């Protein structure tokens, strides 16, 4: 039985329609909106590069950019280190490792609303679990955490790392399971210590996975929104407002859709530049085979 040539396209048509309507279409539309002044209710008014110029000249934009850079510098190495440590732990094949693998991954699939409720209680200044512990060990004046501009972003990093580390663990674990054990055994026979085997054999063989985790973590750090919205709302004093949350505020709180779209393309340019730089530098430290 011969099928019509157009039949395969008929099956993939719903996916293609969704792709163009909900993905590609909004990308081009937001690019046009970034050159306009639009409050959603009225008609867009073309203003050229004014939104991009306002972003560069606005002090609040650079403050938010500083928060984003600080968040990235704290989040990326922390989540990668914790993910690798968890992967090495469950890779040992100890009894109950499958259970712990599921427990470590569970925060990643848990709703951020539920996660935020738990962590807001942990970070609560008066009756929170963390400050209760600090007082118990002799610290009489613990930080306010979510209410302190000096600690709000750090608390946000802690929650984000805790939630995402399980996903990074699975990526590293997949890489560890593909490492040739014969090479590690040969290094041990030659007298290498466990640390030397890990440093000079396992890590180089794991570098392709490490590179992928690095790119994923960098992109995730630039898109943090749910944790900020649920935990701090960008405060206090915008100390935890990152660029993704700032875009949301301008678009759906202040209804500055043109300015928000311009900020979104600034974010896209930054992320693409950092990713391109990492792809350029990977030849220096990523080893395939």
């Amino acid at each position: 039985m011969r099928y019509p040539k157009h039949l395969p396209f008929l099956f993939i048509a719903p996916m293609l329609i969704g792709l163009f309507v909900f993905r590609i279409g909004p990308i081009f539309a937001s690019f046009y909106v970034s050159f306009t002044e639009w409050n959603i209710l009225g008609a867009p008014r073309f203003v050229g590069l004014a939104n991009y110029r306002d972003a560069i000249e606005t002090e609040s934009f650079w403050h938010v950019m500083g928060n984003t850079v600080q968040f990235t510098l704290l989040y990326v190495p922390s989540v990668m280190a914790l993910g690798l440590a968890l992967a090495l732990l469950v890779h040992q094949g100890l009894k109950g490792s499958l259970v712990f693998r599921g427990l470590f991954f569970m925060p990643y699939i848990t709703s951020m609303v539920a996660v935020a409720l738990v962590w807001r209680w942990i970070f609560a200044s008066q009756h929170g679990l963390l400050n209760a512990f600090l007082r118990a060990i002799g610290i009489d004046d613990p930080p306010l955490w979510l209410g302190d501009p000096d600690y709000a972003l750090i608390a946000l990093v802690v929650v984000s790392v805790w939630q995402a580390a399980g996903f990074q663990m699975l990526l590293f674990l997949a890489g560890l399971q593909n490492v040739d054990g014969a090479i590690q055994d040969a290094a041990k026979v030659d007298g290498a210590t466990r640390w030397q085997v890990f440093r000079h054999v396992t890590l180089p063989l794991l570098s392709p996975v490490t590179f992928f985790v690095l790119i994923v973590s960098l992109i995730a750090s630039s898109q943090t929104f749910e944790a900020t919205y649920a935990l701090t709302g960008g405060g206090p004093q915008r100390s935890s407002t990152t660029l993704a949350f700032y875009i949301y505020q301008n678009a759906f709180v202040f209804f500055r859709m043109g300015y928000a779209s311009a900020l979104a393309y600034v974010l896209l340019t930054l992320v693409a530049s950092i990713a391109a730089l990492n792809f350029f530098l990977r030849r220096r430290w990523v080893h395939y085979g």
Side-chain angles (χ1 to χ4, degrees), residues 85-86 181 186 206 217 258 264 266 270:
L86 295 177
L206 203 60
S217 301
V266 170
L270 291 174

Side-chain angles (χ1 to χ4, degrees), residues 3 34 57 73 90 127 133 152-153 155 168 220 222 236 247 262-263 282-283:
Y3 296 98
S34 70
E57 295 176 352
L73 293 177
V90 299
H127 306 290
F133 170 76
L153 189 65
Q168 316 287 25
S222 67
I247 293 171
L263 291 175
R282 68 175 177 172
R283 67 188 68 177

Side-chain angles (χ1 to χ4, degrees), residues 15-16 23 31-32 54 105 142 153 251 259 263:
M15 185 274 295
L16 291 177
R23 294 283 184 174
F31 184 69
Y32 167 73
D54 290 345
F105 184 70
L153 189 65
Y259 185 62
L263 291 175

Side-chain angles (χ1 to χ4, degrees), residues 158-214:
V158 170
V159 176
S160 300
V161 169
W162 176 83
Q163 187 183 36
F167 176 66
Q168 316 287 25
M169 174 202 69
L170 288 185
L171 296 176
F172 278 120
L173 185 61
L176 288 171
Q177 291 174 345
N178 286 323
V179 171
D180 190 353
I183 301 177
Q184 295 173 318
D185 294 337
K188 293 176 183 178
V189 171
D190 289 339
T193 63
R194 180 176 297 183
W195 166 251
Q196 290 173 330
V197 171
F198 175 74
R199 170 66 180 84
H200 298 288
V201 177
T202 305
L203 274 184
L205 294 176
L206 203 60
S207 58
V209 176
T210 305
F211 173 73
F212 177 74
V213 173
L214 174 62

